[in-house]
């Protein structure tokens, strides 16, 4: 994403760039781009508009050339300031304590017996596939870890 609110992709290691399609202008937004490590055709763009308090997620299955919105049921109650993508790109873990499942095109809350219930906004999130753990970094509660019992990635 550029300062002019546009999103670009490259197919030659950055020697040349072309503008992506399907993404609305990102004015006054916090945006994050993440690529699946084992499937680089899977690219996700998360957007949080601070003024409107609105979260958006865009998905590209062609390496960033085109994007489609994946926000049909995205939770709006917590800011989507960051995302972390599973190696295959099947799962997107949001800093809003939810996970997007690409195959089902749906968001699910990250809930469990030991899940943090303090309501602290996470500033970033990281999925650790070898440990099957999602780590949330918060400004008021420190680090919150969530272990996943079963994940097919």
């Amino acid at each position: 994403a550029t300062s002019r609110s546009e999103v670009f992709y490259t197919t030659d290691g950055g020697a040349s760039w072309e503008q992506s399609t399907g993404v609305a202008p990102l004015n006054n937004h916090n945006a994050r781009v993440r690529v699946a490590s084992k499937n680089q055709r899977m690219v996700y763009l998360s957007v949080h508009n601070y003024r409107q308090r609105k979260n958006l997620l865009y998905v590209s299955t062609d390496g960033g050339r085109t994007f489609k919105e994946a926000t049909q049921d995205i939770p709006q109650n917590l800011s989507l300031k960051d995302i972390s993508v599973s190696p295959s790109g099947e799962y997107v873990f949001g800093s809003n304590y939810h996970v997007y499942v690409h195959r089902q095109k749906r968001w699910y809350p990250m809930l469990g017996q030991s899940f943090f219930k303090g309501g602290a906004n996470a500033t970033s999130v990281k999925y650790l596939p070898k440990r099957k753990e999602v780590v949330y970094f918060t400004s008021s509660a420190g680090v919150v870890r969530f272990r996943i019992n079963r994940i097919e990635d």
Side-chain angles (χ1 to χ4, degrees), residues 23-142:
V23 179
L26 304 176
N27 299 329
N28 302 312
H29 293 61
N30 175 28
R32 298 283 190 268
V33 177
R34 302 288 186 252
V35 180
S37 62
K38 290 185 180 177
N39 181 2
Q40 295 186 353
R41 296 182 62 75
M42 293 294 297
V43 180
Y44 290 91
L45 170 66
S46 68
V47 179
H48 176 70
N49 182 318
Y50 286 99
R51 289 190 177 147
Q52 295 178 351
R53 300 185 83 99
K54 184 174 182 181
N55 296 319
L56 300 168
L57 182 73
Y58 292 95
V59 180
S60 173
T61 58
D62 59 9
R65 284 182 174 87
T66 60
F67 284 88
K68 292 182 181 177
E69 260 192 69
T71 56
Q72 182 176 356
D73 62 349
I74 190 170
Q76 299 295 333
N77 58 328
L78 291 171
S79 301
L80 187 63
K81 296 177 183 173
D82 193 20
I83 57 173
S84 185
V85 177
S86 68
S88 71
E90 179 60 27
Y91 302 96
V92 179
F93 300 92
S95 61
N96 61 354
Y97 303 104
H98 284 73
V99 59
Y100 176 77
V101 181
H102 177 72
R103 191 172 337 147
Q104 297 174 1
K105 298 189 179 359
R106 215 171 144 209
W107 286 90
Y108 295 93
M110 296 287 290
L111 300 173
Q113 288 181 327
S114 62
F115 186 67
F116 176 71
K117 298 182 186 336
N121 266 344
T123 55
S124 68
V125 61
K126 180 72 177 167
Y127 174 57
L128 306 172
K130 289 182 181 177
R131 297 179 68 172
K132 293 186 179 179
E133 190 173 71
V134 181
V135 181
Y136 297 96
F137 302 89
T138 74
S139 56
S140 60

